[in-house]
Amino acid sequence: MKSFSKMAWPYAAWLGAFVVAPMLLILLYAFTKQGNDVLTLNFTLDNFAKFFSDSIFPVVLWRSLTIAFYTTIICILIGYPVAYIVAQMSEKKQAFFILLITLPMWINMLIRTYAWKGLLSYFDFDATFKVMVGMVYNFLPFMILQIHTSLSKLDRNLITAAQDLGANNVQTFLRVTLPLSIPGVISGITLVFLPAVSSFFIPKLLGGGEYVLIGNLVENYFISVGNWNYGSAISLIMALVIILSMFVTKKLDKKVGGEE
Amino acid sequence: MQKLKKFFSSSFVWLVMLFFYLPIFYVMVFSFNESKSLTRFTGFSLKWYQKMFETRTIREAIYYTVVIAVLATVISTVIGTVTAIGLSKSKKILRDVVLQVNDIPMMNPDIVTAIGFMLLFSSLNLEKGFWTILLSHIVFCIPYVILSVMPRLRQLDDNLAEAALDLGCTPIQALTMVIIPQLKSAIISGALIAFTMSFDDFVISFFTSGPGISTIAIYVYSSIKRINPTINALSTIIVLIVTVVLIVVNVVPMIKERKKRVAQ
């Protein structure tokens, strides 16, 4: 049996080559000058200095964060009631609605976003609104499913107990159901906020050419401009911002979720 | 009062469902539009379907998408399963480190994973194309297989494999005849997730593909700059296939169950 443990070794090497090495390369590119040879590396902080001194980029970063934030809030506001209502239904009805919610997720995100293009062209919404519709549309199912999972795992006896002890419906919800479903909301937030911040094809498809989020900057610098060093620095900043916001969310979770 | 509440709550859910399906139906309807317009329906026609099947790049994109998804699924399922079994018998330190690193592709934004691959392939001087897309897909699919198989492994009874070895099985036989059959359902669900991930991917394929090769998503992305109703036709076909597959996957077990119950 011990000999089976060797079967994990190749994958450890594989992870080093295909997961760790690419991340190190991004780091390396972000901190070096353009036009490196393999042997001569010119380390620099210029890429980061450029990012923060330019008038556009901090604006784009802020815009990406706010649009992802609003998207997440809207997803919670719509997703929580849907998950809650579905969780109250009979088992058969629940399965039906969960299938209805999952089905669009199997259709490529790009095609689903494209589907809004025609429909939105009837209206004269501004770009931010269109992009937000696209994001909510793409990421709302994740939020609903996460919250639904945590609600359906909830022990019914707890609710009965609360009611027996004299709590009314609102009190039961606020003091029993809601706190116990917070973990679902938190993992929903992760699944919505993270792709929303880094998304680049939703703004490109629905926001029109001039609507730029941080993901579009990364795409531009890698695909069109070809300045990989600067693109790496931007994506590093993006990754740091995401990690930081996840950290804050987890901290909030501990505070709200309490003792667990 | 109770009835009214019920009415409002179910209307709210249906409204959200409408939000989910409206754009999809819209695309389906306009795939039969006679004119190029995306806003005015001028008459019924199948010409975009005809055009779609006649366009070689679309046929190739469909072919590559399916081939890459199937190969990535098979390879990542094998590697993921073997690794998971290995990890379950490894020292805790190795297991913890591997599982931590294994999380990176799942936690990272797609675009960061994608540019990581792009930099890696360029520094290895690999020409971007079919093989780089396939390799990237395998890399980001394996973590999901491992994640799906690991919990099931923890529930396995080690004694069964020990018994097989004691009774004269070679380790390979113990693996294929005792351990893997017990993992079957976890392996299948891991493979399903891997297939979905690969089939659905756009970002990573986009950054790792080279000239002359595109998947369905890359084709859609590169051709939406101008109005192109063949994409409506293509989307409609994909939606139909996905719907049929999902209904079959969900309904067949139900029918089987019912038959079983009737038989009893």
PDB file of all heavy atoms in Angstrom, chain A residues 179-180 182-183 250-260:
ATOM      1  N   PRO A 179     -28.042  33.658   9.763  1.00  0.00           N
ATOM      2  CA  PRO A 179     -26.654  33.397  10.185  1.00  0.00           C
ATOM      3  C   PRO A 179     -26.133  32.052   9.695  1.00  0.00           C
ATOM      4  O   PRO A 179     -24.969  31.934   9.328  1.00  0.00           O
ATOM      5  CB  PRO A 179     -26.744  33.405  11.714  1.00  0.00           C
ATOM      6  CG  PRO A 179     -27.971  34.167  12.032  1.00  0.00           C
ATOM      7  CD  PRO A 179     -28.911  33.954  10.909  1.00  0.00           C
ATOM      8  N   LEU A 180     -27.008  31.041   9.654  1.00  0.00           N
ATOM      9  CA  LEU A 180     -26.550  29.713   9.251  1.00  0.00           C
ATOM     10  C   LEU A 180     -26.304  29.623   7.745  1.00  0.00           C
ATOM     11  O   LEU A 180     -25.633  28.712   7.273  1.00  0.00           O
ATOM     12  CB  LEU A 180     -27.556  28.647   9.678  1.00  0.00           C
ATOM     13  CG  LEU A 180     -27.551  28.347  11.183  1.00  0.00           C
ATOM     14  CD1 LEU A 180     -28.701  27.430  11.544  1.00  0.00           C
ATOM     15  CD2 LEU A 180     -26.220  27.750  11.605  1.00  0.00           C
ATOM     16  N   ILE A 182     -24.940  32.151   6.031  1.00  0.00           N
ATOM     17  CA  ILE A 182     -23.856  33.070   5.670  1.00  0.00           C
ATOM     18  C   ILE A 182     -22.693  32.377   4.934  1.00  0.00           C
ATOM     19  O   ILE A 182     -22.184  32.907   3.946  1.00  0.00           O
ATOM     20  CB  ILE A 182     -23.357  33.853   6.920  1.00  0.00           C
ATOM     21  CG1 ILE A 182     -24.416  34.868   7.361  1.00  0.00           C
ATOM     22  CG2 ILE A 182     -22.050  34.588   6.638  1.00  0.00           C
ATOM     23  CD1 ILE A 182     -24.703  35.983   6.373  1.00  0.00           C
ATOM     24  N   PRO A 183     -22.272  31.159   5.359  1.00  0.00           N
ATOM     25  CA  PRO A 183     -21.190  30.505   4.608  1.00  0.00           C
ATOM     26  C   PRO A 183     -21.514  30.362   3.118  1.00  0.00           C
ATOM     27  O   PRO A 183     -20.638  30.534   2.267  1.00  0.00           O
ATOM     28  CB  PRO A 183     -21.075  29.134   5.275  1.00  0.00           C
ATOM     29  CG  PRO A 183     -21.586  29.328   6.648  1.00  0.00           C
ATOM     30  CD  PRO A 183     -22.641  30.379   6.555  1.00  0.00           C
ATOM     31  N   LYS A 250     -13.439  37.025   4.166  1.00  0.00           N
ATOM     32  CA  LYS A 250     -13.305  35.911   5.119  1.00  0.00           C
ATOM     33  C   LYS A 250     -13.348  36.432   6.549  1.00  0.00           C
ATOM     34  O   LYS A 250     -13.963  35.832   7.417  1.00  0.00           O
ATOM     35  CB  LYS A 250     -11.985  35.173   4.872  1.00  0.00           C
ATOM     36  CG  LYS A 250     -12.006  34.302   3.637  1.00  0.00           C
ATOM     37  CD  LYS A 250     -11.832  32.828   3.966  1.00  0.00           C
ATOM     38  CE  LYS A 250     -12.201  31.942   2.799  1.00  0.00           C
ATOM     39  NZ  LYS A 250     -11.178  31.935   1.745  1.00  0.00           N
ATOM     40  N   LYS A 251     -12.686  37.559   6.788  1.00  0.00           N
ATOM     41  CA  LYS A 251     -12.673  38.168   8.122  1.00  0.00           C
ATOM     42  C   LYS A 251     -14.090  38.549   8.533  1.00  0.00           C
ATOM     43  O   LYS A 251     -14.506  38.289   9.657  1.00  0.00           O
ATOM     44  CB  LYS A 251     -11.787  39.430   8.117  1.00  0.00           C
ATOM     45  CG  LYS A 251     -10.337  39.136   8.434  1.00  0.00           C
ATOM     46  CD  LYS A 251     -10.079  39.261   9.937  1.00  0.00           C
ATOM     47  CE  LYS A 251      -9.138  38.220  10.462  1.00  0.00           C
ATOM     48  NZ  LYS A 251      -7.783  38.265  10.101  1.00  0.00           N
ATOM     49  N   LEU A 252     -14.825  39.168   7.597  1.00  0.00           N
ATOM     50  CA  LEU A 252     -16.206  39.554   7.869  1.00  0.00           C
ATOM     51  C   LEU A 252     -17.031  38.328   8.188  1.00  0.00           C
ATOM     52  O   LEU A 252     -17.862  38.341   9.091  1.00  0.00           O
ATOM     53  CB  LEU A 252     -16.799  40.258   6.637  1.00  0.00           C
ATOM     54  CG  LEU A 252     -16.467  41.737   6.478  1.00  0.00           C
ATOM     55  CD1 LEU A 252     -17.106  42.270   5.209  1.00  0.00           C
ATOM     56  CD2 LEU A 252     -16.972  42.515   7.682  1.00  0.00           C
ATOM     57  N   ASP A 253     -16.767  37.244   7.451  1.00  0.00           N
ATOM     58  CA  ASP A 253     -17.490  35.996   7.650  1.00  0.00           C
ATOM     59  C   ASP A 253     -17.328  35.534   9.090  1.00  0.00           C
ATOM     60  O   ASP A 253     -18.287  35.154   9.755  1.00  0.00           O
ATOM     61  CB  ASP A 253     -16.952  34.955   6.673  1.00  0.00           C
ATOM     62  CG  ASP A 253     -17.568  33.591   6.885  1.00  0.00           C
ATOM     63  OD1 ASP A 253     -18.737  33.566   7.306  1.00  0.00           O
ATOM     64  OD2 ASP A 253     -16.900  32.588   6.614  1.00  0.00           O
ATOM     65  N   LYS A 254     -16.088  35.593   9.578  1.00  0.00           N
ATOM     66  CA  LYS A 254     -15.822  35.137  10.943  1.00  0.00           C
ATOM     67  C   LYS A 254     -16.568  35.997  11.956  1.00  0.00           C
ATOM     68  O   LYS A 254     -17.073  35.518  12.941  1.00  0.00           O
ATOM     69  CB  LYS A 254     -14.316  35.179  11.230  1.00  0.00           C
ATOM     70  CG  LYS A 254     -13.636  33.973  10.612  1.00  0.00           C
ATOM     71  CD  LYS A 254     -12.405  33.560  11.369  1.00  0.00           C
ATOM     72  CE  LYS A 254     -11.778  32.346  10.704  1.00  0.00           C
ATOM     73  NZ  LYS A 254     -10.546  32.657   9.996  1.00  0.00           N
ATOM     74  N   LYS A 255     -16.614  37.312  11.665  1.00  0.00           N
ATOM     75  CA  LYS A 255     -17.292  38.225  12.567  1.00  0.00           C
ATOM     76  C   LYS A 255     -18.792  37.979  12.579  1.00  0.00           C
ATOM     77  O   LYS A 255     -19.407  37.889  13.635  1.00  0.00           O
ATOM     78  CB  LYS A 255     -17.031  39.670  12.124  1.00  0.00           C
ATOM     79  CG  LYS A 255     -16.106  40.398  13.078  1.00  0.00           C
ATOM     80  CD  LYS A 255     -16.099  41.869  12.763  1.00  0.00           C
ATOM     81  CE  LYS A 255     -14.967  42.546  13.492  1.00  0.00           C
ATOM     82  NZ  LYS A 255     -14.544  43.746  12.791  1.00  0.00           N
ATOM     83  N   VAL A 256     -19.374  37.880  11.366  1.00  0.00           N
ATOM     84  CA  VAL A 256     -20.817  37.709  11.272  1.00  0.00           C
ATOM     85  C   VAL A 256     -21.218  36.300  11.658  1.00  0.00           C
ATOM     86  O   VAL A 256     -22.157  36.089  12.416  1.00  0.00           O
ATOM     87  CB  VAL A 256     -21.303  38.011   9.824  1.00  0.00           C
ATOM     88  CG1 VAL A 256     -22.806  37.824   9.733  1.00  0.00           C
ATOM     89  CG2 VAL A 256     -20.913  39.422   9.430  1.00  0.00           C
ATOM     90  N   GLY A 257     -20.464  35.329  11.145  1.00  0.00           N
ATOM     91  CA  GLY A 257     -20.795  33.927  11.368  1.00  0.00           C
ATOM     92  C   GLY A 257     -20.606  33.507  12.809  1.00  0.00           C
ATOM     93  O   GLY A 257     -21.146  32.507  13.237  1.00  0.00           O
ATOM     94  N   GLY A 258     -19.815  34.292  13.543  1.00  0.00           N
ATOM     95  CA  GLY A 258     -19.688  34.028  14.962  1.00  0.00           C
ATOM     96  C   GLY A 258     -18.761  32.887  15.311  1.00  0.00           C
ATOM     97  O   GLY A 258     -17.668  32.773  14.785  1.00  0.00           O
ATOM     98  N   GLU A 259     -19.258  32.013  16.168  1.00  0.00           N
ATOM     99  CA  GLU A 259     -18.376  31.118  16.922  1.00  0.00           C
ATOM    100  C   GLU A 259     -17.699  30.043  16.083  1.00  0.00           C
ATOM    101  O   GLU A 259     -16.667  29.549  16.457  1.00  0.00           O
ATOM    102  CB  GLU A 259     -19.156  30.447  18.057  1.00  0.00           C
ATOM    103  CG  GLU A 259     -19.636  31.416  19.129  1.00  0.00           C
ATOM    104  CD  GLU A 259     -20.886  32.151  18.681  1.00  0.00           C
ATOM    105  OE1 GLU A 259     -21.802  31.496  18.171  1.00  0.00           O
ATOM    106  OE2 GLU A 259     -20.942  33.390  18.820  1.00  0.00           O
ATOM    107  N   GLU A 260     -18.285  29.648  15.004  1.00  0.00           N
ATOM    108  CA  GLU A 260     -17.839  28.455  14.269  1.00  0.00           C
ATOM    109  C   GLU A 260     -16.351  28.246  14.152  1.00  0.00           C
ATOM    110  O   GLU A 260     -15.636  29.123  13.735  1.00  0.00           O
ATOM    111  CB  GLU A 260     -18.418  28.483  12.852  1.00  0.00           C
ATOM    112  CG  GLU A 260     -19.607  27.576  12.757  1.00  0.00           C
ATOM    113  CD  GLU A 260     -20.017  27.316  11.310  1.00  0.00           C
ATOM    114  OE1 GLU A 260     -20.375  28.295  10.643  1.00  0.00           O
ATOM    115  OE2 GLU A 260     -19.965  26.168  10.891  1.00  0.00           O
TER     116      GLU A 260
END
